[in-house]
């Protein structure tokens, strides 16, 4: 299950992804070392997420298939949903500032939590280890 505390271990193409998101180089450098930690508690189709990083701590509640608002660490506001497809969580979020879509997935692969991101043709991954 996705439940547990997950600490980012490594990222792939995350800088390019953030660049595509319009994040400036200084913020990108800080974000590469954000020590992101995500605690996931799942109860049926309800999720409670505790996010902590060098930028902030944040609590998020959502229900699968139900739209909610979220602000990224740089302040960008999005709205969208997570759905479960097989063993994978699939998220689709729309930026409020430009209506463009960010998609993301979470999957368990070999004991690690792999989160993928796509925005405007650029893919990235962040891989988390269980604490
Ligand atoms: C959660 O499940 O953790 C909360 C909802 C996440 C919504 C979308 C996540 C995309 C994060 C992208 C960060 C990249 C910053 C440029």
């Amino acid at each position: 299950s996705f439940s547990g505390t997950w600490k980012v271990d490594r990222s792939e193409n995350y800088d390019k992804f953030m660049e595509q998101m319009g994040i400036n180089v200084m913020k990108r450098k800080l974000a590469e070392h954000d020590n992101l930690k995500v605690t996931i508690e799942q109860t049926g189709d309800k999720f409670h997420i505790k996010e902590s990083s060098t930028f902030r701590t944040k609590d998020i509640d959502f229900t699968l298939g139900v739209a909610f608002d979220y602000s990224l660490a740089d302040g960008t506001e999005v709205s969208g949903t997570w759905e479960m497809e097989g063993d994978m969580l699939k998220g689709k979020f729309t930026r409020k500032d430009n209506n463009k879509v960010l998609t993301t997935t979470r999957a368990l692969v070999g004991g690690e939590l792999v989160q993928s991101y796509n925005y405007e043709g650029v893919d990235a991954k962040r891989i988390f280890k269980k604490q």
Side-chain angles (χ1 to χ4, degrees):
S1 97
F2 291 99
S3 292
T5 296
W6 301 92
K7 203 173 179 313
V8 71
D9 180 61
R10 59 198 188 277
S11 303
E12 294 174 9
N13 212 41
Y14 193 52
D15 185 67
K16 279 276 183 292
F17 169 78
M18 289 189 287
E19 186 177 13
Q20 187 76 336
M21 287 285 290
I23 295 168
N24 74 43
V25 64
M26 273 181 52
K27 287 184 184 169
R28 298 206 304 272
K29 293 287 171 217
L30 295 174
E32 285 278 0
H33 305 282
D34 63 356
N35 288 323
L36 180 60
K37 208 166 84 177
V38 180
T39 300
I40 301 176
E41 288 165 25
Q42 181 182 3
T43 314
D45 58 357
K46 293 192 191 306
F47 283 75
H48 178 70
I49 309 252
K50 278 185 198 162
E51 175 189 312
S52 88
S53 70
T54 53
F55 294 113
R56 63 179 181 178
T57 63
K58 191 173 172 64
D59 284 88
I60 304 123
D61 285 287
F62 63 85
T63 301
L64 294 176
V66 178
F68 64 100
D69 293 334
Y70 176 77
S71 46
L72 308 188
D74 74 329
T76 302
E77 308 242 351
V78 300
S79 173
T81 53
W82 281 110
E83 316 226 30
M84 193 71 84
E85 242 184 74
D87 291 337
M88 191 180 276
L89 280 166
K90 290 198 173 183
K92 188 176 171 199
F93 295 88
T94 303
R95 283 176 67 146
K96 293 186 177 181
D97 58 346
N98 66 7
N99 276 327
K100 290 185 175 173
V101 172
L102 185 165
T103 56
T104 176
T105 64
R106 285 186 172 127
L108 297 171
V109 182
E112 295 181 317
L113 175 70
V114 177
Q115 184 159 10
S116 75
Y117 309 87
N118 176 278
Y119 181 72
E120 292 286 299
V122 177
D123 287 304
K125 270 184 193 166
R126 303 197 87 186
I127 296 134
F128 299 78
K129 286 193 185 295
K130 202 159 196 170
Q131 263 204 334

